[in-house]
Amino acid sequence: MSERIVQLASFDIRPGKLEVFKQAIRKAVAFAESQGPQLAVETYIDEDSMRASSLQIMPSSKAVLAHWKMADPYIRDVMENCIMRRLDVYGEPNEEVMLGLLSLIEQGIPVTVTPAFVGFRRGHH
């Protein structure tokens, strides 16, 4: 199977922070689109429940590590306005990525890792 890593993160947006959260997400996604290693990034917001989900598809564990390093200021801006509720990771992250995920687990955030089985992808869009 491929080295691809898919991450699905779920957030609760802090009360009164919807607009600033949206601005931070827009900046983070624009940065990822122009500079990041992601193959795809999609963010979904349910304004009524003040919840958001973010889907990222990375080509490899190496790309995950590069993203964490280069996008840190953008990630911090987003995280100031929300509470991460869970992170579901699909694929086989390397040991360094797994160690990075430990910090979330230590904060009490549920993290699941599910190995890849079978699939395909059409083009890049």
Side-chain angles (χ1 to χ4, degrees):
M1 197 57 205
S2 84
E3 291 184 44
R4 262 194 316 275
I5 304 293
V6 177
Q7 298 177 337
L8 180 59
S10 301
F11 308 95
D12 286 343
I13 302 165
R14 293 184 188 277
K17 298 290 187 177
L18 178 62
E19 291 310 314
V20 70
F21 175 79
K22 285 178 166 181
Q23 286 176 339
I25 287 286
R26 281 189 195 101
K27 285 181 187 170
V29 171
F31 175 79
E33 186 174 15
S34 67
Q35 307 288 323
Q38 293 92 332
L39 300 173
V41 176
E42 298 283 347
T43 302
Y44 306 88
I45 296 176
D46 179 344
E47 294 185 11
D48 292 337
S49 69
M50 291 289 281
R51 291 202 168 139
S53 296
S54 175
L55 173 74
Q56 295 192 49
I57 302 174
M58 301 282 192
S60 65
S61 289
K62 186 177 173 184
V64 173
L65 296 169
H67 161 67
W68 286 348
K69 191 172 185 176
M70 71 191 325
D72 184 61
Y74 295 91
I75 295 168
R76 274 190 272 130
D77 284 351
V78 168
M79 295 310 296
E80 283 177 9
N81 300 295
C82 65
I83 300 163
M84 184 179 274
R85 285 297 170 208
R86 67 178 296 115
L87 177 64
D88 296 304
V89 180
Y90 301 93
E92 286 108 51
N94 69 16
E95 192 173 336
E96 205 173 344
V97 171
M98 293 299 284
L99 286 172
L101 296 175
L102 271 179
S103 69
L104 296 176
I105 295 166
E106 288 166 356
Q107 294 171 52
I109 298 166
V111 176
T112 66
V113 178
T114 305
F117 175 60
V118 69
F120 72 92
R121 147 179 108 105
R122 298 190 200 279
H124 291 286
H125 298 286

